[in-house]
Structure formats: C-alpha cells, structure tokens
Amino acid sequence: PSPGDLNPNVATAPPNGYYQGDNGIAQAPIDNNVTMSYGVTAANPAFEQFIRVLNFLATSPPFDQSNPTDIANVNQATQMLNQTVQQLQTLQGTVSLQQGQLSSTLTTHQNALTLAKSSVANIEQVDPASAITQLNTLQTQLQASYQTMSMLQQLSLVNYLK
C-alpha cells in the first residue's frame, strides 16, 4: 500500500476512502426557545489530519535516521500531530462548554421541578376549613377597605363647610 501524502495543505482533498461524514451537527431543544448544537463530525480537519499521519506512518517502510527525506517526513509528521493535538483540545473545549450549558440548564429545570412539586404538596395539604375561614377574613377586610376608600372619596372641603 501507498504511504499516502503528508501534504498539510488543507485545500487538498482527503485521501481516497476517508470517511468525511456530513455537516449535520446534532441539535436538541434544551429549554423554551433554546436549541443547543452538539457533537463533532468526521469532517473536522483534525481527524482527517490525524488519520493521514497515522496512515503515512503505518504504511511507510522503516525510516532511516541518516536519510534526509525520512528525517523531514518524521519532522513533518510530528508537526502535524502537534497541530492535531491542539485542534483536538479546541474541540474538547467546545464540547465541554456545550456540556456546561447543558448541565446548567438541567440544574435550572431540576430546581423548577422541585419548586413545582413543593407547591403542589403545599396545596394538597391545605385544611379546607381553615382555608375557607382565612378567605372569609380576607374578604371582610377587603370589603372594609373598599368602604373606607369610598367614604374618603366623599370627603371634600365643600362638604365639610356645609
């Protein structure tokens, strides 16, 4: 088999047979009006470059330390692997940020669910007799407030002077 090419030019096509995936990044709704894109595709240049270097190293004949071409190829492969590591670290950071956003949203949803369950439990545990008594008391106080307000509106300097 041919050892392939270490050409780092990104504009060149990947080796024949290399699965490039598609550009379809998965998306999921994580909250009201919030959709998160997540994942990584095989079309990412870091993966192609990594596979290209591995293919080159796996299919090359043994390297001769005194051959300038072999030394140059090993140096170029090392440089490409270092670039790939940096690109993969960037991808890892992106996925970590997505995971953080998802964890934050999950915590928010869990807190809202706990609050809703607590509210339902409080409503279910209400004593109907005391609730009706408290409602009647509040209704009486509200009516007294309205009546007082109505009487205060009737007051004026003209009525006072009569």
Side-chain angles (χ1 to χ4, degrees), residues 116-128 131:
K117 285 180 179 180
S118 168
S119 296
V120 167
N122 289 342
I123 290 170
E124 289 176 343
Q125 295 175 0
V126 167
D127 177 33

Side-chain angles (χ1 to χ4, degrees), residues 3-53:
D5 184 1
L6 284 178
N7 183 353
N9 184 356
V10 179
T12 62
N16 286 340
Y18 177 72
Y19 173 71
Q20 296 180 48
D22 58 22
N23 291 329
I25 298 289
Q27 294 185 337
I30 61 171
D31 204 351
N32 291 336
N33 302 319
V34 177
T35 301
M36 184 178 79
S37 299
Y38 64 93
V40 178
T41 66
N44 189 291
F47 296 122
E48 185 276 326
Q49 192 170 329
F50 181 68
I51 297 294
R52 189 173 355 143
V53 170

Side-chain angles (χ1 to χ4, degrees), residues 47-84:
F47 296 122
E48 185 276 326
Q49 192 170 329
F50 181 68
I51 297 294
R52 189 173 355 143
V53 170
L54 290 180
N55 180 53
F56 181 81
L57 294 174
T59 58
S60 293
F63 294 106
D64 181 0
Q65 293 180 354
S66 62
N67 183 341
T69 303
D70 285 351
I71 293 171
N73 284 339
V74 169
N75 288 339
Q76 186 175 2
T78 302
Q79 182 181 15
M80 289 176 71
L81 285 176
N82 288 335
Q83 290 172 354
T84 300

Side-chain angles (χ1 to χ4, degrees), residues 64-136:
D64 181 0
Q65 293 180 354
S66 62
N67 183 341
T69 303
D70 285 351
I71 293 171
N73 284 339
V74 169
N75 288 339
Q76 186 175 2
T78 302
Q79 182 181 15
M80 289 176 71
L81 285 176
N82 288 335
Q83 290 172 354
T84 300
V85 167
Q86 290 174 354
Q87 291 172 345
L88 290 174
Q89 287 172 341
T90 301
L91 285 174
Q92 180 184 13
T94 301
V95 171
S96 294
L97 287 173
Q98 293 167 346
Q99 182 181 10
Q101 179 185 7
L102 188 58
S103 294
S104 174
T105 303
L106 177 62
T107 300
T108 301
H109 288 171
Q110 288 172 334
N111 290 344
L113 182 61
T114 301
L115 179 63
K117 285 180 179 180
S118 168
S119 296
V120 167
N122 289 342
I123 290 170
E124 289 176 343
Q125 295 175 0
V126 167
D127 177 33
S130 67
I132 291 172
T133 303
Q134 186 177 7
L135 177 64
N136 286 336

